Amino acid sequence: MTLTDQKVKLMEGTFTPSEASDILNIFIDKKINFHKLQRLSIIEQNCDDDTPHLYSRMDELIKAKESIRETIMEARREGLELQIESDIHITLVKK
């Protein structure tokens, strides 16, 4: 059951390849580290839990990071900038 919805504009603009690389790599690296800490916390509580969903999500993020790296390299080769837009949708839900 949805209690409230919120939309936040996280990022909107044109960036040089270096700026885009910095911004996106920091964001993805933080998200990967978040999942690593989650996994560690779960394993500390239950050493038999191998947290496959967290491994899967980290793999997705690593693949996304590689895809973004290739796009940034192409932008550098072509002398282009990158337009980046990102929204975060937040919904409060009952447990």
Side-chain angles (χ1 to χ4, degrees), residues 15 20 23 26 50 65 68 81-82 86-87:
F15 301 90
I23 292 167
I26 287 169
D50 63 359
K65 187 174 177 179
I68 289 168
E81 292 190 332
L82 295 98
S86 176
D87 294 329

Side-chain angles (χ1 to χ4, degrees), residues 19-94:
E19 292 169 334
S21 178
D22 289 346
I23 292 167
L24 297 172
N25 282 324
I26 287 169
F27 180 78
I28 292 173
D29 287 343
K30 288 284 187 185
K31 188 67 171 144
I32 290 169
N33 286 336
F34 172 79
H35 288 304
K36 285 179 180 178
L37 289 172
Q38 269 189 317
R39 187 185 70 214
L40 181 60
S41 177
I42 290 169
I43 290 172
E44 284 180 347
Q45 293 172 19
N46 179 4
C47 63
D48 294 328
D49 191 347
D50 63 359
T51 62
H53 61 288
L54 294 178
Y55 283 107
S56 174
R57 183 63 183 131
M58 286 188 293
D59 286 343
E60 289 172 14
L61 290 167
I62 290 166
K63 288 176 186 172
K65 187 174 177 179
E66 177 59 26
S67 176
I68 289 168
R69 187 185 70 76
E70 291 172 6
T71 300
I72 289 170
M73 286 176 51
E74 181 179 346
R76 281 189 176 122
R77 281 192 303 272
E78 300 293 326
L80 301 172
E81 292 190 332
L82 295 98
Q83 175 72 34
I84 302 173
E85 297 179 25
S86 176
D87 294 329
I88 295 178
H89 298 270
I90 302 168
T91 304
L92 299 178
V93 294
K94 288 187 177 184

